[in-house]
Amino acid sequence: MFWQESESESPPQVPADVIDVMFPLQACKSLPVDHAHALSTALIGAVSWLAEEPRAAIHTIHVAGSQNGWERPAHGREQQLLPSRRTKLGIRIPRARLDDLKVALEGRRLEIGASGLTLGPGKERPLSTERTLFARYVVADADEDEERFLRRIADELAQRGIQIRKAVCGKTVSLSTPTGPLPTRSLMLAELSLEEAIALQRQGIGTHQTMGCGIFLPHKGIEAVAKAAR
């Protein structure tokens, strides 16, 4: 008899040079739903190198769609989010900047429009090995329909060696800025290779990443996003 045990597969390795740093929110009763620009301005005011670091990105603050009977309101500066004790602020940076970021932000009070929050101790979180990724906001052209948006994204990613196999984009959402609304669309990409998924998380796509645009997160799957996009 010939019997050879198969080698156990080692878990995929994720490069550790780029990480997310998650800060719990303290003393934060509410935030505007449309807070991307105000949050970016406050953080760059506290940590100036965030505006200059090419691999820095600031996640917008997100809360569950419903909690204790509360439903997340529609997008807008007048609408308010209600953060819970589990709500966190995420900032994606090169690992080499970790200590600098924590020193600058831990215990820091930030004013976000008429709201405020204090940041707790930051904890690092590695990038994901999931191969379905979702970006809540990707900058779009003002007159760009869904087909043109996806074609442009596909062309841009192809130049980086990333092939789109399955993609779903959402309706246009405008983020408020002092110079006028910034049009964006959500974007989900599925059936990526591990290398493609890591590259997208490390580099993102498009501009305004310190306003939460073009930042990819792991997602539960294409079916849920496709249903939500209808």
Side-chain angles (χ1 to χ4, degrees):
M1 181 178 69
F2 180 80
W3 188 278
Q4 182 176 348
E5 296 289 348
S6 60
E7 295 182 5
S8 59
E9 292 186 5
S10 57
Q13 297 299 307
V14 177
D17 59 330
V18 175
I19 57 172
D20 283 329
V21 187
M22 309 304 295
F23 295 90
L25 306 188
Q26 301 173 347
C28 181
K29 295 183 178 179
S30 65
L31 284 171
V33 174
D34 185 356
H35 61 264
H37 186 271
L39 177 63
S40 175
T41 300
L43 284 169
I44 290 173
V47 190
S48 60
W49 55 259
L50 286 173
E52 303 161 0
E53 171 56 59
R55 290 188 292 174
I58 298 170
H59 300 275
T60 51
I61 296 169
H62 194 70
V63 301
S66 61
Q67 50 187 8
N68 298 325
W70 176 83
E71 296 289 335
R72 184 171 57 231
H75 187 80
R77 285 185 297 178
E78 296 74 22
Q79 305 291 340
Q80 297 291 308
L81 296 175
L82 303 179
S84 71
R85 293 182 178 180
R86 294 181 294 179
T87 304
K88 292 179 174 59
L89 163 68
I91 303 177
R92 189 163 291 174
I93 56 166
R95 177 183 287 277
R97 294 281 201 175
L98 174 61
D99 290 341
D100 293 341
L101 188 72
K102 293 178 67 174
V103 168
L105 291 183
E106 288 182 343
R108 186 84 178 228
R109 180 72 178 174
L110 300 176
E111 301 302 323
I112 313 298
S115 304
L117 57 86
T118 300
L119 297 176
K123 293 186 178 181
E124 62 181 275
R125 185 177 69 184
L127 301 182
S128 174
T129 58
E130 291 292 331
R131 302 183 189 189
T132 297
L133 299 179
F134 179 68
R136 293 192 179 101
Y137 308 109
V138 176
V139 175
D141 294 335
D143 59 348
E144 198 171 42
D145 61 19
E146 178 177 338
E147 182 178 352
R148 288 176 58 194
F149 172 81
L150 287 174
R151 188 183 304 119
R152 176 174 62 82
I153 295 297
D155 290 343
E156 180 175 337
L157 292 181
Q159 294 176 20
R160 292 163 50 180
I162 298 174
Q163 178 185 355
I164 286 188
R165 300 169 183 86
K166 291 184 178 179
V168 175
C169 72
K171 297 177 180 178
T172 301
V173 172
S174 293
L175 304 180
S176 299
T177 77
T179 57
L182 177 69
T184 72
R185 287 180 180 268
S186 61
L187 176 66
M188 192 282 311
L189 300 175
E191 296 188 4
L192 298 161
S193 70
L194 177 61
E195 292 75 16
E196 291 169 335
I198 295 300
L200 279 170
Q201 291 174 84
R202 292 178 75 249
Q203 300 174 28
I205 189 170
T207 61
H208 293 80
Q209 292 189 25
T210 56
M211 275 184 57
C213 299
I215 311 173
F216 285 93
L217 300 164
H219 199 274
K220 54 191 172 183
I222 187 170
E223 292 81 6
V225 178
K227 184 183 297 183
R230 293 191 188 109

